[in-house]
DNA sequence: TGTCTGACGACCG
DNA sequence: ACGGTCGCCAGAC
């Protein structure tokens, strides 16, 4: 099992600064994950202590089950959604 | 082993 | 812009 990958994904998500967002795909690419799904999997089981709300789908929309909560947390950081969708060109984090 | 299931994404019409 | 489809890959059963 790859504990290393798990840690890299965690570190990347942890490093996304308040007021900006990233996507599952970006995190996967940066961490060298085989699929963006792995990022979602990691967050679902070990993401409570991470700024998981800063991770969106490539469309700029949050995953279905957490939409409300996520948009709420983002709004508190000044990341505003237009009809449920975040403008990635505006808020996307690029290290 | 074979199938199904996701906090996903690229492509296409 | 949207929805359908297909590829993806580790786990659960």
């Amino acid at each position: 099992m790859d504990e290393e990958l798990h840690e890299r994904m965690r570190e990347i998500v942890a490093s996304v600064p308040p007021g900006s967002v990233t996507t599952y795909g970006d995190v996967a690419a940066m961490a060298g994950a085989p699929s963006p799904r792995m990022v979602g999997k990691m967050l679902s089981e070990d993401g409570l202590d991470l700024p998981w709300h800063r991770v969106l789908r490539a469309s700029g929309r949050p995953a279905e089950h957490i939409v409300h909560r996520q948009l709420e947390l983002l709004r508190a950081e000044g990341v505003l959604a237009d009809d449920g969708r975040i403008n990635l060109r505006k808020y996307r984090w690029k290290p």
Side-chain angles (χ1 to χ4, degrees), chain A residues 7-69:
Chain A
E7 268 313 305
R8 286 201 300 282
M9 294 192 289
R10 281 182 55 80
E11 287 171 25
I12 291 169
V13 173
S15 64
V16 179
S20 56
V21 301
T22 187
T23 68
Y24 293 94
D26 282 358
V27 175
M30 291 186 271
S35 161
R37 287 182 182 282
M38 298 297 95
V39 178
K41 186 172 219 353
M42 178 281 283
L43 287 180
S44 73
E45 54 196 36
D46 193 31
L48 295 179
D49 60 330
L50 295 173
W52 55 268
H53 60 285
R54 297 180 190 140
V55 183
L56 301 164
R57 295 200 283 197
S59 61
R61 291 181 179 286
E64 285 309 314
H65 56 297
I66 50 177
V67 198
H68 193 268
R69 177 82 169 124

